[in-house]
Amino acid sequence: MARLELNNLHAEVAEGDEKILEGVNLEVKSGEIHALMGPNGSGKSTTAKVIAGHPAYEVTEGEVLLHLEEGEFGEEIEIDEDQRTWNLLDLEPNERAALGIFLGFQYPAEIDGVTMTNFLRTALNAKIEEREELFEGEDDDADEEEDEGFETSPMEGPADEGEVGVAEFQQILQEKMEALDMDERFAQRYLNAGFSGGEKKQNEVLQAAILEPSIAVLDEIDSGLDIDRLQDVSDGINALRDEEGTGILQITHYQRILDYVEPDHVHVMLDGQIAKSGDASLAAELEDKGYDWVREEVYGTA
């Protein structure tokens, strides 16, 4: 089991003095689904990006801790006592990802010329390699291997480089795509290029399914989805929790995705802080009454 812990987290825009987060306290455990709701500009997306290590934001106070238990990554990785707690603020984004943090983007990028298959296999192998370096130390041959270059196109990479080979990955990808009810032809398309909004969001869930994170932060992954895609994406999120034991931090404006992905906890963010927390019924109340009543209850003013 993993546990993500945000303690008194303060953050501002890196190039400027605009404060956005004003003391966020939040805890997400493996196997839990948390919904983070709030009006525009309250700090929801900033929280997600700070967890992942986005360079546009500077943390001025507080900490972001990831607690791991023995066996978190299976028998392949042995986690010593002094490796059970990591301060993510000391780590680069790729290192955070290797430890099991995943960020699903609100606006996924399009990368023309890189197929989904090559992108996903490269990401999986990079995560495995980075994780081994974090827990077992640097590979002495790493620099030498980097200097060897590619025998094929740099965009494709060597035909079978990495821990997970082409044949093995094709089987993994096929299983994950079938579980998400995705057309297998998508795997040969360029990453998000020409994808509809719903397809892009479904692809974000596919990436999480491939990488099997301990904690997945999904930033408004429900925005722009029609009802069919919403159900497909929701099924994928539920599978992450039920089959992989992933902890989910679901950032959303709307109740509708929570009809399909029932949260264990709902948090309301106002003015850079978690102002109120409750169970799934809180989301329904927000849908009915908006946010002013929370502001009045907490701060005494609407």
Side-chain angles (χ1 to χ4, degrees):
M1 175 181 289
R3 178 165 56 91
L4 178 67
E5 182 182 356
L6 279 60
N7 293 321
N8 192 34
L9 187 64
H10 293 249
E12 61 186 31
V13 177
E15 297 183 0
D17 57 358
E18 180 186 358
K19 296 181 179 179
I20 301 179
L21 303 185
E22 298 278 4
V24 177
N25 294 290
L26 183 64
E27 184 176 284
V28 180
K29 298 178 182 178
S30 295
E32 295 181 344
I33 294 181
H34 291 244
L36 182 60
M37 307 180 73
N40 289 328
S42 59
K44 303 185 302 300
S45 292
T46 298
T47 300
K49 292 174 181 176
V50 167
I51 292 170
H54 198 295
Y57 302 96
E58 179 181 353
V59 174
T60 58
E61 188 177 346
E63 55 188 3
V64 180
L65 303 178
L66 181 65
H67 305 280
L68 303 173
E69 291 186 357
E70 185 178 4
E72 178 67 28
F73 305 123
E75 297 179 357
E76 295 82 4
I77 297 293
E78 183 176 342
I79 304 177
D80 296 332
E81 286 286 349
D82 60 352
Q83 296 175 319
R84 303 272 172 92
T85 296
W86 299 75
N87 187 347
L88 298 187
L89 302 181
D90 295 335
L91 303 176
E92 296 298 322
N94 56 300
E95 294 173 318
R96 303 181 194 200
L99 288 174
I101 298 296
F102 176 86
L103 174 60
F105 292 100
Q106 182 178 359
Y107 303 109
E110 297 185 10
I111 306 179
D112 206 1
V114 177
T115 64
M116 281 179 54
T117 297
N118 285 318
F119 171 80
L120 291 170
R121 189 171 74 89
T122 299
L124 178 59
N125 280 325
K127 182 202 72 172
I128 293 172
E129 181 179 355
E130 187 72 58
R131 182 176 292 169
E132 290 175 348
E133 291 182 4
L134 283 171
F135 287 96
E136 300 173 7
E138 294 284 346
D139 185 351
D140 294 335
D141 298 327
D143 293 337
E144 181 180 342
E145 290 175 0
E146 288 178 3
D147 292 338
E148 289 178 357
F150 295 107
E151 295 179 1
T152 59
S153 164
M155 214 169 266
E156 298 293 335
D160 207 24
E161 179 183 307
E163 181 77 17
V164 181
V166 173
E168 181 184 357
F169 181 76
Q170 288 291 349
Q171 182 176 353
I172 294 172
L173 181 60
Q174 181 178 358
E175 291 173 356
K176 300 296 186 181
M177 294 187 75
E178 287 177 356
L180 294 174
D181 194 26
M182 293 183 70
D183 191 324
E184 292 183 7
R185 291 174 295 181
F186 279 27
Q188 301 309 317
R189 293 171 63 181
Y190 293 145
L191 183 65
N192 290 323
F195 282 27
S196 69
E199 290 170 342
K200 289 180 180 180
K201 300 301 179 68
Q202 199 170 15
N203 190 29
E204 291 294 287
V205 177
L206 174 62
Q207 291 178 41
I210 293 290
L211 296 174
E212 298 182 350
S214 300
I215 304 292
V217 183
L218 306 177
D219 188 9
E220 296 193 32
I221 203 165
D222 56 327
S223 63
L225 298 182
D226 61 31
I227 189 63
D228 291 329
R229 287 296 180 187
L230 179 63
Q231 291 178 334
D232 290 338
V233 168
S234 298
D235 288 344
I237 295 172
N238 285 325
L240 280 176
R241 189 268 308 272
D242 297 338
E243 298 176 16
E244 309 297 343
T246 300
I248 308 291
L249 179 58
Q250 171 70 59
I251 297 171
T252 183
H253 278 292
Y254 306 109
Q255 159 71 25
R256 62 177 192 154
I257 193 172
L258 303 182
D259 290 334
Y260 303 99
V261 182
E262 184 175 354
D264 301 293
H265 306 276
V266 175
H267 311 280
V268 182
M269 177 165 271
L270 296 175
D271 304 324
Q273 296 179 321
I274 303 295
K276 186 177 181 65
S277 297
D279 58 19
S281 65
L282 177 57
E285 193 170 4
L286 293 170
E287 183 78 8
D288 182 52
K289 299 165 58 177
Y291 295 104
D292 284 346
W293 70 273
V294 179
R295 188 180 300 276
E296 184 175 1
E297 179 182 291
V298 175
Y299 303 117
T301 177

